Amino acid sequence: MMLAQYYNFVRLGRQGYTYVMKMLQENAHALADNLRSSGRFEVIGSDLEQLPLVAFRLAGKHAYDESDVAWQLAAERGWMVPAYTLPPNAERVKIMRALVKETLSREQIDRLSQDIHDACRTLDDKGATHEIERAQVKRGTGY
């Protein structure tokens, strides 16, 4: 990974690499703002300098959790936005993480935001993901 970053730095030059990194940060901020403005999510650490990613969790009580949102998002739209539990002594807290890559345009960031909201609306209507649905997730190498 470090070699790839160094290659991009050499290939693009300082000005070009700085521009790419700035765009990644702006897209991450746009995603965080979209999620925060929905009122459904609490964005974690968005006021700190960080990598171009957005960590967030559901705000308030719901009949579903972050894992259900991640599953529904993958099932409905094919987005891979993982949900995690935090380390020991905080394992009851779940968060989701969206990594903003160079290949994601602002239009795709807006689409991801809308798809997350749509997944939540689906879960509002149907409730948490059923164990049978979770069993249908493909596992193993190659998936």
Side-chain angles (χ1 to χ4, degrees):
M1 191 60 149
M2 292 298 292
L3 287 176
Q5 288 178 341
Y6 183 71
Y7 170 76
N8 279 333
F9 182 71
V10 170
R11 183 173 62 98
L12 300 172
R14 180 173 176 82
Q15 184 178 10
Y17 192 77
T18 300
Y19 174 79
V20 168
M21 292 287 107
K22 182 179 176 200
M23 290 298 104
L24 291 175
Q25 288 288 17
E26 285 183 14
N27 283 342
H29 288 298
L31 178 59
D33 291 342
N34 290 346
L35 292 171
R36 192 181 299 106
S37 68
S38 75
R40 289 184 182 268
F41 296 99
E42 173 190 346
V43 178
I44 301 164
S46 64
D47 54 339
L48 304 172
E49 189 173 326
Q50 61 185 8
L51 296 171
L53 63 84
V54 180
F56 56 100
R57 65 181 178 183
L58 286 166
K61 298 288 181 189
H62 300 276
Y64 51 90
D65 67 4
E66 290 80 358
S67 295
D68 295 322
V69 176
W71 189 91
Q72 189 66 38
L73 194 56
E76 276 187 350
R77 302 293 182 179
W79 291 104
M80 299 308 294
V81 181
Y84 299 99
T85 56
L86 294 182
N89 297 328
E91 61 269 351
R92 292 183 187 161
V93 178
K94 276 191 180 178
I95 64 168
M96 296 180 71
R97 176 188 55 84
L99 179 62
V100 177
K101 293 186 172 186
E102 197 174 335
T103 56
L104 285 175
S105 67
R106 180 61 63 93
E107 187 175 83
Q108 289 172 314
I109 292 294
D110 292 339
R111 180 79 254 162
L112 173 58
S113 300
Q114 185 60 48
D115 288 345
I116 291 171
H117 300 310
D118 291 345
C120 289
R121 279 198 298 271
T122 298
L123 290 167
D124 285 337
D125 293 340
K126 77 171 197 160
T129 308
H130 193 275
E131 291 302 319
I132 293 172
E133 291 174 307
R134 288 191 188 198
Q136 293 173 353
V137 174
K138 295 181 168 87
R139 300 178 194 280
T141 60
Y143 294 106

